[in-house]
């Protein structure tokens, strides 16, 4: 018999050795997945028979620690020792609240409920001889109620609460005798409850039990003297589980047809470097936590080679018989993931210099590869909020969303056999070593009420909706739109500034060259010779930078280009009577060349930046925008620009993104006056002749309530939009005053910071627009409940947070936020023409194959199309930001390596969208748009000076006629010879 067992063990080892460390491929596999497409949210559903569960643990929620004959557990003793501040004596009092817990379970709509049996409630001293009928009946009643609600129980035999008598008399799990005692306890449970239970968990999270119960002493029983004791404890836990499994397999499975496993918890780890050594350290880290128990169960009945190599004799060894006894004793892989372990109970010594992460999807893939595709039941997953948080647990909700979404991708994309997901936990309770400092329940428990009142949290509503829809089915608004923009749509690209060349680069070299025409055609510079200076004024063609920049813009395929002037450079002294004529001449040439390339210039007079004011020096040193003279000076500067450049510029932005949160209300008030004065100047003095348009551009990232069905979250989102966008928009596009919500909010705070418009200023500012221009880059998520002081805005009572399913780089990439922002404008200001004046994403400038920007532009433009075609937004144009990394690092369609200009992948993709004027329906007839008129180089002469233009044309005709007569006369004379 021994020889047979040895042979079987050898065969098992040989089989396992065929795929050593199969999970090692996980990191390289995920690094090669398409980015950012693989990171995008997956809209799909789970298999029809997918298990949706929720769970609890006995000591955390039951309470009644001495009621009806229950014996003490190690947690009852542990919480009364040392510096412990709280106990689970009452917990959530589920022992007396089966009906309220059942109501919560029914509301969620789960198919399974995972709970644990309190060993000391059934056997007060841990053995069958102390059997407690009343405690056993509690579980009979619970299972009966579950069955009545058609909810299947998932029963855990041991969730950390060992009868204290076994700890005191035997030393708990450190004693091998506990293997037989646990087997007998399991036998009773299978016999008593097994007819109604199809999923059993023998032991929950043996890693925490062994390492932190008998090693670090963080959890009960709190032993921390012997560094090798955890490994002996782990050894006994494995053997106890195997004994229970074989018992069930032989005596109960044929009739009860259930499945049994051990719940194994794990963190996730990612390499700090890309070297193979780092990957091996990651593998070893997982082996020391998850593989410690998973490899014996699922592979070869022995510990991971990495553990054996590093721990040596400290790690107990299995005999061949024991290996065979342990191997294969799991019917499914029960995986625990989340706050019970990750970033809590994994210390640096187990990370081996690598970085801990929360990636459930990669962990599932690793388990699938490492243990030969077992069915995986996620039996615990979730996160936590602070103990002071009540029902608004948006943070927990978004972590649940992330983990469920990762499980879905694991099934649909990775082909992993995930059979179920368990949200943790049903209700708030005693959170082990963190006591009541955090909450993990989907239902809020008011521990100060006698009946432990339960209320559904935000996360409960979310989880219920996910279960009802069986995942995240694709909705019409999630699908890409098909269609085109209007023929006169403004396709543009933006840049904060352009490259300025104040000295013409053409005809600036005085050297004399010899052209070697007979040989290689090279130019040879003649030393000692120089040409006389050119006696002529500069021409626009002399500026090489203009030709280069215009050519780059033209290659994008846009018909508009947006850039900013520099006020302090155009009028250095602040006196418009003494402008920088050279710079104005350059801007004039630049805009003229744009028009000749069929590109309409869009010019910003003042671009707000946090780094510098860009005001002329006298104003910069004299209170900047707080100076009452600054708006008047700005109007004079605007008049100068209109006069000098207005012949070529028909679209003006007075102020670009003045609504920065760093701008004070007093500064903003003067900026509004400055814009209005500049607009009035154009309207009175230039509009009739130049026929252009003027407005300002506001920064408008969307603000989404963390829970859109909650009025408490919707209100702070509206508040931020009032304070960030309505602050400048309402005085101009609306009532002529600041938003009512903004003023009333500040009034209740007893703040007098917001200025008051007098009648004259209100009339001055109101209606000073020709279009509504926004810069949009990302979306923010907010809730009203404070969770993190670092991201809480006290004056607005708003908590900023992140949906961890969003693509980050570094700001969230949320395409649908643009559509919502455009609809906000439509809803507030009716049919106003809207331009998206800047929209772009920051990406590593070294990535010329900028897949994130390709994804970003495609999806944001598609959302803009939805706003136009489906929502009726009067959208007139879209401008990608930005033209080049050289002027706007990380945002450019063009990259640069030294002096070489690189066309990025995003430029070609954007140009393709422009050429199709959107996303035309496949097979549909092409959109019929009138062709763009070619520029008439001399038409402006005819328009402005008709007599001179007429004489010029007549003179040109006469000269051409005379030339032709002379040519043909000479030709005929030659033919006579």
């Amino acid at each position: 018999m021994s020889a047979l067992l040895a042979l079987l063990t050898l065969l098992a080892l040989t089989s396992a050795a065929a795929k050593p460390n199969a999970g090692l491929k996980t990191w390289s596999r995920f690094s090669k997945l398409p980015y950012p497409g693989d990171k995008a949210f997956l809209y799909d559903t789970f298999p029809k028979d997918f298990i949706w569960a929720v769970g609890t643990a006995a000591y955390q929620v039951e309470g009644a620690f001495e009621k009806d004959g229950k014996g003490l557990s190690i947690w009852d003793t542990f919480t009364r020792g040392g510096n412990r501040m709280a106990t689970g004596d009452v917990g959530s009092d589920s022992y007396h609240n089966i009906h309220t817990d059942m109501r919560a379970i029914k509301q969620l709509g789960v198919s399974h409920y995972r709970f644990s049996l309190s060993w000391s409630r059934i056997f007060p001293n841990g053995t069958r001889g102390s059997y407690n009928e009343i405690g056993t009946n509690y579980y009979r009643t619970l299972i009966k109620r579950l069955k009545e609600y058609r909810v299947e129980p998932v029963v855990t035999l041991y969730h950390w609460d060992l009868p204290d008598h076994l700890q005191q008399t035997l030393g708990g799990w450190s004693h091998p005798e506990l293997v037989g005692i646990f087997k007998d306890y399991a036998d009773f449970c299978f016999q008593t409850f097994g007819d109604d239970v199809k999923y059993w968990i023998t032991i929950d999270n043996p890693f925490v039990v062994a390492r932190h119960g008998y090693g670090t002493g963080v959890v009960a029983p709190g032993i921390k003297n012997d560094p090798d004791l955890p490994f002996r404890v782990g050894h006994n836990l494995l053997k106890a589980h195997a004994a229970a499994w074989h018992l069930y397999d032989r005596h109960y499975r044929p009739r009860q047809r259930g499945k049994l496993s051990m719940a194994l918890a794990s963190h996730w780890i990612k390499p700090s470097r890309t070297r193979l050594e780092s990957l091996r350290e990651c593998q070893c880290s997982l082996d020391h936590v998850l593989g410690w128990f998973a490899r014996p169960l699922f592979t070869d009945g022995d510990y991971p080679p990495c553990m054996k190599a590093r721990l040596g004799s400290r790690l107990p060894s299995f005999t061949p018989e024991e290996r065979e006894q342990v191997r294969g004793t799991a019917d499914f892989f029960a995986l625990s993931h989340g706050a019970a372990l990750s970033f809590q109970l994994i210390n640096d010594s187990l990370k081996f210099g690598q970085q801990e992460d929360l990636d459930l999807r990669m962990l599932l893939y690793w388990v699938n590869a490492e243990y030969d595709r077992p069915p995986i039941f996620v039996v615990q997953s979730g996160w936590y909020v602070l103990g002071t948080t009540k029902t608004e647990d948006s943070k927990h909700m978004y972590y649940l969303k992330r983990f469920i979404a990762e499980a879905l991708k694991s099934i649909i994309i990775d082909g992993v056999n995930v059979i179920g997901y368990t949200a943790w936990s049903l209700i708030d309770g005693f959170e082990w070593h963190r006591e009541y400092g955090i909450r993990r329940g989907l239902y809020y428990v008011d521990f100060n009420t006698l009946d432990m009142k339960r209320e559904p949290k935000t996360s409960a509503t979310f989880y219920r909706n996910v279960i009802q829809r069986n995942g995240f089915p694709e909705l019409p608004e999630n699908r890409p739109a098909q269609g085109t923009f209007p023929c006169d749509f403004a396709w543009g690209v933006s840049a904060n500034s352009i490259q300025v060349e104040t000295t013409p680069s053409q005809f600036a070299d005085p050297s004399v060259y010899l052209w070697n025409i007979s040989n290689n055609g090279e130019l040879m510079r003649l030393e000692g010779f120089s040409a006389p200076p050119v006696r002529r004024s500069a021409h626009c063609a002399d500026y090489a930078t203009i030709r280069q920049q215009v050519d780059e813009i033209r290659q994008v395929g846009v018909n508009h280009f947006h850039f900013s002037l520099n006020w302090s450079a155009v009028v250095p002294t602040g006196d418009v009577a003494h402008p920088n004529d050279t710079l104005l001449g350059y801007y004039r040439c630049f805009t003229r060349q744009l028009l000749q390339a069929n590109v309409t210039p869009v010019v910003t007079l003042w671009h707000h930046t946090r780094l510098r004011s860009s005001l002329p020096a006298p104003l910069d040193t004299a209170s900047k925008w707080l100076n009452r003279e600054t708006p008047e000076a700005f109007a004079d500067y605007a008049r100068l620009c209109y006069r000098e450049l207005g012949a070529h510029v028909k679209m003006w932005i007075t102020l670009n993104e003045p609504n920065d949160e760093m701008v004070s209300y007093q500064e903003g008030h003067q900026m509004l006056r400055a814009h209005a004065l500049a607009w009035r100047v154009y309207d009175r003095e230039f509009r009739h002749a130049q026929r252009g348009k003027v407005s300002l551009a506001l920064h408008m990232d969307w603000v989404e309530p963390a829970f859109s069905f909650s009025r408490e979250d919707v209100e702070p989102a509206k508040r931020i939009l009032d304070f960030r966008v309505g602050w400048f928009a309402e005085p101009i596009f609306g009532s002529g005053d600041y938003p009512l919500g903004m003023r009333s909010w500040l009034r209740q705070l007893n703040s007098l910071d917001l200025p008051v418009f007098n009648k004259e200023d209100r009339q001055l500012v109101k209606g000073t627009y020709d279009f509504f221009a926004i810069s949009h880059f990302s979306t923010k998520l907010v809730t009203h409940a404070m969770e993190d002081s670092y991201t809480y805005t006290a004056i607005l009572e708003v908590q900023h947070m992140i949906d961890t399913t969003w693509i980050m780089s570094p700001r969230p990439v949320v395409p649908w936020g643009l559509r919502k922002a455009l609809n906000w404008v439509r809803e507030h200001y009716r049919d106003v023409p809207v331009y998206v004046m800047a929209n772009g994403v920051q990406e590593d400038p070294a990535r010329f194959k900028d897949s994130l920007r390709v994804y970003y532009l495609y999806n944001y433009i598609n959302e803009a199309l939805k706003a136009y075609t489906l929502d009726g937004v009067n959208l007139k144009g879209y401008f990608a930001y930005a033209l080049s990394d050289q002027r706007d690092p990380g945002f450019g369609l063009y990259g640069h390596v030294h002096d070489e200009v690189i066309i990025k992948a995003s430029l070609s993709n954007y140009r393709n969208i422009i050429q199709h004027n959107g996303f035309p329906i496949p097979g549909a007839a092409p959109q019929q748009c009138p062709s763009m008129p070619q520029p008439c180089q001399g038409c402006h002469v005819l328009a402005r000076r008709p007599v001179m233009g007429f004489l010029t044309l007549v003179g040109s005709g006469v000269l051409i006629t005379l030339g032709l007569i002379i040519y043909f006369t000479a030709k005929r004379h030659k033919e006579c010879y």
Side-chain angles (χ1 to χ4, degrees):
M1 183 66 180
S2 298
L4 179 60
L5 285 174
L7 177 61
L8 290 172
T9 302
L10 180 62
L11 290 172
L13 286 169
T14 304
S15 175
K19 297 188 299 179
N21 292 333
L24 191 63
K25 66 182 181 182
T26 302
W27 294 273
S28 60
R29 187 257 184 185
F30 278 85
S31 68
K32 295 174 183 175
L33 292 177
Y35 177 82
D38 184 66
K39 295 293 184 183
F41 193 82
L42 175 64
Y43 290 98
D44 212 324
T45 55
F46 287 84
K48 290 183 179 180
D49 58 350
F50 192 75
I51 295 172
W52 291 106
V54 68
T56 57
Y59 184 76
Q60 293 184 281
V61 301
E62 280 184 4
F65 84 110
E66 288 183 317
K67 189 76 177 287
D68 296 334
K70 177 186 174 296
L72 294 177
S73 75
I74 54 174
W75 275 93
D76 293 320
T77 304
F78 179 68
T79 53
R80 284 166 170 74
N83 297 320
R84 308 296 296 184
M85 302 295 294
T87 71
D89 291 357
V90 179
S92 314
D93 201 22
S94 287
Y95 187 79
H96 298 109
N97 283 283
I98 287 182
H99 62 290
T100 54
D101 287 350
M102 291 305 307
R103 185 165 64 240
I105 292 168
K106 182 181 179 182
Q107 287 175 352
L108 287 175
V110 294
S111 60
H112 291 66
Y113 174 54
R114 181 189 171 197
F115 64 94
S116 71
L117 306 175
S118 172
W119 190 344
S120 59
R121 193 178 297 282
I122 296 173
F123 296 165
N125 72 3
T127 61
R128 194 184 288 257
S130 62
Y131 169 65
N132 177 19
E133 179 72 20
I134 299 177
T136 305
N137 286 338
Y138 165 72
Y139 296 113
R140 286 194 180 103
T141 302
L142 176 58
I143 292 172
K144 180 181 178 182
R145 293 284 177 85
L146 288 170
K147 289 291 188 177
E148 290 172 356
Y149 283 107
R150 296 183 180 179
V151 176
E152 290 295 323
V154 179
V155 179
T156 303
L157 296 175
Y158 177 71
H159 201 128
W160 307 6
D161 51 347
L162 186 73
D164 189 58
H165 178 76
L166 296 179
Q167 181 64 40
Q168 300 302 328
T169 57
L170 297 175
W173 287 107
S174 65
H175 201 292
E177 191 176 328
L178 218 65
V179 172
I181 296 173
F182 179 77
K183 178 183 176 182
D184 188 55
Y185 162 60
D187 184 38
F188 172 83
C189 294
F190 296 150
Q191 183 179 9
T192 305
F193 310 117
D195 289 342
D196 294 315
V197 178
K198 302 307 175 187
Y199 284 95
W200 290 96
I201 303 294
T202 55
I203 298 166
D204 180 86
N205 205 335
F207 170 83
V208 170
V209 175
R211 181 176 179 85
H212 295 293
Y214 293 84
T216 65
V218 172
V219 301
I223 296 171
K224 51 185 175 181
N225 296 324
D226 184 351
D228 295 341
L229 181 60
F231 305 115
R232 297 197 298 273
V233 167
H235 206 66
N236 290 332
L237 289 168
L238 278 167
K239 290 197 286 186
H241 158 80
W245 187 90
H246 283 290
L247 170 72
Y248 187 84
D249 193 54
R250 286 194 301 269
H251 298 290
Y252 297 99
R253 191 191 304 276
R255 179 169 56 86
Q256 296 179 358
R257 300 189 181 279
K259 297 179 181 180
L260 185 144
S261 191
M262 177 188 254
L264 306 181
S266 185
H267 61 315
W268 181 246
I269 198 88
K270 60 183 181 180
S272 57
R273 297 183 180 181
T274 55
R275 298 175 181 173
L276 182 58
E277 291 83 358
S278 292
L279 295 179
R280 286 173 176 159
E281 292 298 284
C282 288
Q283 182 84 2
C284 198
S285 175
L286 293 172
D287 277 343
H288 275 72
V289 178
L290 182 58
W292 181 3
F293 299 93
R295 186 174 178 111
L297 297 182
F298 291 91
T299 305
D300 57 8
D302 201 0
Y303 297 117
C306 174
M307 282 190 78
K308 294 169 73 173
R310 299 198 182 193
L311 295 172
S313 60
R314 297 177 60 194
L315 194 65
S317 59
F318 290 105
T319 65
E321 293 81 3
E322 288 173 337
R323 289 183 188 179
E324 187 58 29
Q325 177 76 2
V326 171
R327 184 178 67 86
T329 56
D331 302 318
F332 57 94
F333 199 112
L335 181 64
S336 177
H337 172 265
L341 188 67
S342 295
F343 292 96
Q344 301 295 321
L345 295 175
I346 300 291
N347 56 31
D348 290 341
S349 66
L350 290 172
K351 299 176 188 177
F352 304 124
Q354 311 310 308
Q355 299 173 359
E356 190 174 359
D357 199 9
L358 269 179
D359 201 312
L360 175 59
R361 179 185 172 189
M362 291 185 73
L363 177 60
L364 289 167
Y365 188 88
W366 186 88
V367 169
N368 181 72
E370 187 76 6
Y371 303 114
D372 198 21
R373 298 182 53 80
I376 304 173
F377 187 177
V378 180
V379 294
Q380 181 177 159
S381 179
W383 205 240
Y384 65 90
V385 292
L386 296 178
T388 54
T389 303
K390 295 190 176 180
T391 57
E392 303 88 359
D393 64 336
S394 299
K395 175 183 172 183
H396 187 199
M397 177 185 76
Y398 279 103
Y399 272 100
L400 276 177
K401 179 184 177 184
R402 170 183 173 175
F403 297 146
I404 296 170
E406 288 179 352
L408 179 62
K409 282 186 177 181
S410 188
I411 296 170
I412 302 297
I413 299 175
D414 306 331
V416 178
N417 185 18
V418 183
I419 63 171
Y421 180 89
T422 307
W424 201 270
S425 63
L426 174 66
I427 53 178
D428 292 331
F430 179 82
E431 289 299 333
W432 308 115
H433 62 290
R434 302 190 70 174
E435 301 176 344
Y436 297 101
I438 62 171
R439 291 176 180 264
R440 297 190 62 193
L442 300 177
Y443 280 75
Y444 171 76
V445 175
D446 188 344
F447 297 114
N448 296 318
T449 57
L450 290 176
D451 60 348
M452 297 287 172
K453 183 180 178 182
R454 280 102 158 115
E455 292 182 66
K457 298 183 187 179
T458 302
S459 56
T461 304
F462 166 77
Y463 193 47
R464 181 178 67 240
N465 290 338
V466 171
I467 293 171
Q468 287 175 348
R469 296 178 298 175
N470 200 32
F472 309 99
E474 187 179 52
L475 301 176
E477 59 264 29
N478 305 136
R479 301 186 188 116
Q482 293 182 328
T484 55
F485 291 94
C487 289
D488 61 348
F489 194 71
W491 289 105
V493 64
S494 293
N496 283 342
S497 61
I498 59 172
Q499 184 177 351
V500 174
E501 180 186 24
T502 55
T503 303
S505 55
Q506 296 291 313
F507 309 109
D509 187 356
S511 301
V512 176
Y513 295 87
L514 180 66
W515 185 11
N516 188 357
I517 193 170
S518 62
N519 192 3
N520 57 9
E522 288 186 353
L523 291 175
M524 299 175 59
R525 186 171 178 271
L526 297 179
E527 298 292 340
F529 291 88
S530 62
V534 179
R535 303 292 184 180
R536 71 175 182 82
S537 58
H539 294 275
C540 290
D542 296 345
Y543 296 101
T545 55
I546 290 181
R547 293 200 310 276
Q548 178 187 345
Q549 291 178 92
V550 171
D551 188 55
E552 289 177 359
I553 294 164
R554 183 185 56 77
Q555 286 188 61
V556 180
V558 296
N559 51 39
H560 286 67
F561 177 63
H562 174 216
F563 69 98
S564 301
L565 306 181
N566 188 330
W567 183 5
S568 62
V570 173
V571 191
T573 65
D575 184 359
V576 294
H578 301 92
N580 185 336
D581 290 322
T582 303
L583 183 57
L584 280 171
Y586 184 89
Y587 284 139
R588 194 181 301 112
C589 285
F590 185 81
T591 54
R592 180 179 173 184
Q593 294 299 111
L594 282 173
L595 285 175
Q596 290 182 357
N598 283 329
V599 177
T600 300
V602 181
V603 178
T604 287
L605 295 174
W606 182 77
H607 185 104
H608 171 72
T609 63
R610 294 184 179 183
L611 299 178
R612 57 185 185 278
S613 71
S614 298
L615 300 179
L619 295 173
D620 193 43
T621 56
S623 303
K624 299 181 174 62
W625 281 104
L626 293 176
N627 188 336
R628 292 280 300 181
E629 296 178 2
T630 301
E632 298 289 346
F634 181 76
D636 292 338
Y637 160 62
R639 182 181 288 107
L640 171 69
C641 295
Y642 299 152
R643 185 175 64 244
E644 296 296 326
L645 307 177
H648 306 133
V649 179
K650 306 303 177 186
M651 193 168 181
W652 294 93
I653 301 293
T654 56
L655 309 174
N656 192 76
E657 301 183 10
N659 56 325
D660 188 283
E661 59 186 18
M662 301 302 291
V663 173
S664 70
Y665 298 137
Q666 290 77 13
E667 289 174 314
H669 199 73
Q670 296 306 320
M671 289 178 183
L672 282 165
R673 293 185 67 250
H675 157 77
L677 289 169
W679 190 92
R680 301 282 179 195
V681 165
Y682 191 87
D683 195 53
R684 286 193 310 265
E685 303 175 25
F686 298 94
R687 189 186 299 276
H688 178 72
Q690 296 181 1
R691 302 192 180 280
K693 297 180 287 186
V694 183
S695 195
L696 82 172
L698 301 178
H699 183 95
M700 189 183 182
D701 281 349
W702 181 243
V703 183
E704 181 73 7
F707 190 60
S708 58
F709 298 101
S710 166
R711 181 178 178 182
E712 287 83 0
D713 281 358
V714 170
E715 287 303 318
K718 288 182 177 179
R719 191 179 310 135
I720 290 183
L721 288 169
D722 271 348
F723 272 77
R724 295 289 176 258
V725 184
W727 173 24
F728 274 75
E730 188 62 22
I732 296 171
F733 298 89
S735 64
D737 197 0
Y738 295 115
L740 181 62
M742 183 181 183
R743 195 175 287 286
S744 61
W745 182 264
L746 290 173
R747 189 180 295 121
Q748 77 177 26
L749 296 177
N750 297 317
S751 171
L752 301 176
D753 290 342
L754 194 63
V756 176
F757 283 103
N758 58 39
K759 184 178 180 181
E760 180 182 349
D761 282 348
R762 179 175 294 195
Q763 291 176 346
L764 170 71
V765 172
K766 185 177 179 180
T768 54
Y769 69 91
D770 296 312
F771 54 89
F772 198 115
I774 65 170
S775 300
H776 175 89
F777 298 93
S778 185
T779 291
K780 298 177 180 178
L781 196 64
V782 299
T783 182
H784 74 286
M786 180 178 176
E787 177 72 22
D788 183 353
S789 60
Y790 290 103
T791 54
Y792 185 76
T793 305
I795 190 172
L796 297 180
E797 296 183 9
V798 169
Q799 176 70 62
H800 295 268
M801 56 185 304
I802 293 175
D803 181 342
T804 52
T805 64
W806 289 348
I807 298 169
M808 303 294 293
S809 182
R811 289 182 287 191
V813 176
V814 191
W816 51 259
L818 175 58
R819 182 182 179 185
K820 292 197 173 187
L822 292 170
N823 272 282
W824 185 94
V825 175
R826 180 184 61 84
E827 291 163 6
H828 282 74
Y829 304 114
R830 301 168 297 282
D831 198 38
V832 60
V834 186
Y835 289 84
V836 179
M837 201 55 67
N839 179 237
V841 67
Q842 189 173 10
E843 192 169 7
D844 184 357
R847 292 177 64 102
F848 299 135
K849 191 176 180 181
D850 52 343
S851 54
L852 176 61
R853 187 170 293 105
V854 170
Y855 173 89
Y856 182 99
L857 292 176
Y858 179 94
N859 285 281
Y860 273 80
I861 295 171
N862 197 268
E863 292 297 324
L865 179 65
K866 292 177 186 177
Y868 169 71
T869 58
L870 302 178
D871 307 331
V873 175
N874 188 14
L875 185 63
K876 294 294 187 180
Y878 172 91
F879 290 68
Y881 178 81
L883 179 65
S884 170
D885 283 337
Q886 195 171 35
R887 313 300 294 178
D888 303 285
F891 285 90
L893 300 175
Y894 286 99
H896 290 264
V897 176
H898 303 300
D899 294 330
E900 183 182 0
V901 178
I902 307 295
I903 296 176
K904 297 185 184 180
S906 57
L907 188 152
S908 302
N909 281 268
Y910 184 40
R911 182 171 59 212
N912 184 60
I913 293 173
I914 295 171
Q915 288 172 347
H916 290 88
N917 203 28
F919 309 90
I921 301 171
Q927 185 180 21
Q928 299 298 318
C929 290
S931 59
M932 292 289 292
Q934 295 299 312
C936 173
Q937 303 295 338
C939 291
H940 66 283
V941 178
L942 285 170
R944 298 176 65 180
R945 299 180 180 178
V947 175
M948 182 181 292
F950 174 75
L951 292 176
T952 300
L953 287 175
V954 172
S956 300
V958 170
L959 289 173
I960 293 171
T961 304
L962 287 173
L964 290 172
I965 291 172
I966 293 170
Y967 171 75
F968 284 110
T969 301
K971 184 177 181 182
R972 185 165 50 189
H973 180 68
K974 185 176 181 181
E975 289 174 352
C976 292
Y977 286 97

